[in-house]
Amino acid sequence: MEKRLVKTQKKDFDFFPSSKGDGQELSKIDSFLSHHAIPAPQSIRKLQLFLGKVCNHSCSFCPHDAKPESSEFMRHEMVHRVISLIEKEQFEEISFKGGAPEMSPYFRWIVRQIREKSPKTRLVLHTHVTAMKDPGYFQALPRFLQEHQVALAVYVPTLDEAQMDQIRGPKTFKTFLSVVRYLNRLGYASEDSDLELKLIWKHLKVPNSKSGEVHFEDWKSKWGIRFSDFQEKMYSPVGRMMNCLSAEGDKAGFFQELQTKIGRHDDQPLPCKDSLTIDWEGNVYNCENHISAKDGKVKYRLFHLKDWTDEKLQKVRIQPALHCLSCLACLKN
């Protein structure tokens, strides 16, 4: 894709206050971030489609408040707008996010359209995979993903069987293993295949990268499953995750702890550096987590998809928010 956005000098995330404090300090951090927008990257090469909040799980700490009965998902008119944009812009990579984006009624149609109009675009489905085991519509989904060369980024909240069942419901771990093994049989994470199957272990706090890799290798061996790659992240403090922090009563302390673990962003793959996110209503953001932040649709929305122009892109700036600390804290120093 042609580089459209203004060229800027690199800047460090070195403007975070270092003083300790209580809830007042928390508001100072938020205010400071709001007035120090980082300039846009040189180009937008990737697009994230947040297809909605429909999910087969309803985790108590879900950043996006996803649930099975959600009515928030991308409808017919917006789907066609998105496809028109993709045909025009020819993005290098398009990611599907949600809840469980594969539960969107238009998911397969979107994938087919992209493959037809932009066959070289890399497609990535961010998924829990457990919905693929559901009867009827979802049972044939793994073969569809294989056929259309869709890479998978699989999210788990834990590598422990009992904990996963406790978080996501009885027999969830068994379902997870069943789907992953089937994906392996289809060629995902195989040495002689290009089908990517990445596992992302998401934590409630900053992960301990020293022990994660070892735990992951032992876990793979124990259950006899394969993955192409492994990464640890943490849940963004928005939506239900922020409610959990508020209930614990130490929200300010949590964010101050994140500040002490901030990594340098130079040359690291922060999604906001080269991508934009479109939600189910067509609102455009720097980041999917801006969507679920308090007053996110008002405070962090860049513009609406119908207003997408080169002129709009030239004015885009990355808008840091309080929840950005969780992403920055997971960077490697």
Side-chain angles (χ1 to χ4, degrees), residues 42-164:
Q42 290 185 341
S43 65
I44 298 299
R45 300 183 297 108
K46 302 176 183 179
L47 184 68
Q48 297 188 122
L49 298 179
F50 195 95
L51 296 182
K53 298 188 176 185
V54 180
C55 186
N56 58 318
H57 300 300
S58 185
C59 302
S60 61
F61 47 78
C62 177
H64 301 303
D65 301 323
K67 54 188 177 182
E69 66 273 20
S70 177
S71 61
E72 296 171 297
F73 60 88
M74 191 173 288
R75 312 282 172 158
H76 182 268
E77 179 185 356
M78 198 53 59
V79 167
H80 281 273
R81 284 186 182 274
V82 166
I83 294 300
S84 296
L85 174 70
I86 291 170
E87 186 175 15
K88 172 187 173 184
E89 297 289 357
Q90 295 291 304
F91 297 97
E92 292 180 13
E93 178 178 301
I94 297 175
S95 296
F96 303 99
K97 296 193 171 184
E102 63 268 39
M103 294 182 71
S104 165
Y106 294 101
F107 172 72
R108 296 191 196 197
W109 189 85
I110 294 173
V111 170
R112 291 192 186 101
Q113 290 295 307
I114 296 173
R115 275 289 170 253
E116 177 183 329
K117 301 177 185 301
S118 184
K120 294 184 179 180
T121 298
R122 182 173 184 265
L123 302 182
V124 184
L125 171 62
H126 293 250
T127 175
H128 307 300
V129 304
T130 52
M132 299 184 197
K133 188 74 171 178
D134 288 353
Y137 180 82
F138 298 107
Q139 282 188 334
L141 187 57
R143 286 195 174 275
F144 173 85
L145 298 171
Q146 175 203 38
E147 177 185 351
H148 291 83
Q149 297 289 295
V150 180
L152 302 180
V154 181
Y155 289 79
V156 294
T158 176
L159 300 185
D160 181 86
E161 176 182 4
Q163 287 181 354
M164 189 178 293

Side-chain angles (χ1 to χ4, degrees), residues 187-241:
Y188 274 92
S190 174
E191 293 182 359
D192 57 354
S193 170
D194 294 329
L195 294 169
E196 298 177 34
L197 184 64
K198 180 178 182 177
L199 185 75
I200 300 178
W201 180 9
K202 297 199 78 171
H203 300 254
L204 297 177
K205 295 188 177 181
V206 180
N208 182 354
S209 58
K210 293 182 180 180
S211 62
E213 288 282 355
V214 175
H215 193 173
F216 170 63
E217 291 300 328
D218 291 342
W219 187 71
K220 281 197 307 179
S221 177
K222 177 181 179 180
W223 298 110
I225 50 180
R226 301 190 309 270
F227 291 94
S228 311
D229 196 8
F230 171 69
Q231 185 178 5
E232 293 183 79
K233 294 183 178 181
M234 70 175 295
Y235 287 96
S236 183
V238 293
R240 291 187 209 132
M241 178 64 178

Side-chain angles (χ1 to χ4, degrees), residues 5-18:
L5 302 186
V6 294
K7 293 184 177 180
T8 61
Q9 295 180 345
K10 289 184 177 179
K11 292 189 177 182
D12 295 332
F13 289 95
D14 58 0
F15 47 77
F16 298 99
S18 58

Side-chain angles (χ1 to χ4, degrees), residues 285-331:
Y285 301 85
N286 293 132
C287 170
E288 64 180 286
N289 293 312
H290 283 3
I291 298 171
S292 299
K294 185 178 180 181
D295 300 325
K297 290 186 179 181
V298 177
K299 188 173 182 179
Y300 299 115
R301 191 183 84 156
L302 299 174
F303 52 88
H304 192 272
L305 176 57
K306 63 181 174 60
D307 300 319
W308 183 293
T309 62
D310 290 352
E311 290 73 23
K312 287 284 186 183
L313 293 179
Q314 289 288 339
K315 295 178 181 179
V316 165
R317 295 294 182 271
I318 297 174
Q319 298 174 279
L322 188 61
H323 52 266
C324 295
L325 290 171
S326 62
C327 188
L328 298 172
C330 292
L331 296 179

